[in-house]
Amino acid sequence: MILEIVTPELTLFKGEVESVSVPGINGQFQMLDNHAPVVSLLSKGAVKIFGNVVLDKDNAALFTKEDGTTNFAITGGVLEMKDNKAIVLAD
């Protein structure tokens, strides 16, 4: 699946991933390939990216790696999953 993480300033990440876990307002949830379409508000927490993540060197310092995941901390936002592409509009 394709994941795109966008902030008001710039696109931080766009690439192929195995899955992504996000902090929804009703709790953390994970999406895999061919997930059903969904739109969700996001709360404070971490976007956890699973798979071989290649980060742009300019944005790599904004991400952390732990337990085999690449993580990006957010304070809120919106997620749209459609047609095997997840877009995180992060605050």
Side-chain angles (χ1 to χ4, degrees), residues 1-2 17-21 29-36 50 81 84-86:
M1 68 186 268
I2 301 294
V17 301
E18 290 178 13
S19 67
V20 62
S21 178
F29 66 96
Q30 186 172 10
M31 293 161 293
L32 302 166
D33 274 345
N34 301 311
H35 193 281
F50 299 83
M81 175 71 179
N84 219 30
K85 181 177 181 181

Side-chain angles (χ1 to χ4, degrees), residues 10-82:
L10 68 144
T11 299
L12 295 175
F13 175 78
K14 183 175 183 179
E16 185 78 25
V17 301
E18 290 178 13
S19 67
V20 62
S21 178
V22 295
I25 58 171
N26 292 323
Q28 193 86 9
F29 66 96
Q30 186 172 10
M31 293 161 293
L32 302 166
D33 274 345
N34 301 311
H35 193 281
V38 64
V39 174
S40 177
L41 291 174
L42 302 177
S43 62
K44 184 177 181 179
V47 175
K48 296 183 179 190
I49 308 167
F50 299 83
N52 185 21
V53 176
V54 178
L55 298 170
D56 182 324
K57 65 179 181 174
D58 296 331
N59 300 328
L62 301 172
F63 292 81
T64 61
K65 294 196 179 235
E66 68 178 63
D67 298 331
T69 65
T70 302
N71 304 315
F72 178 69
I74 62 171
T75 57
V78 178
L79 164 89
E80 178 188 29
M81 175 71 179
K82 182 179 176 186

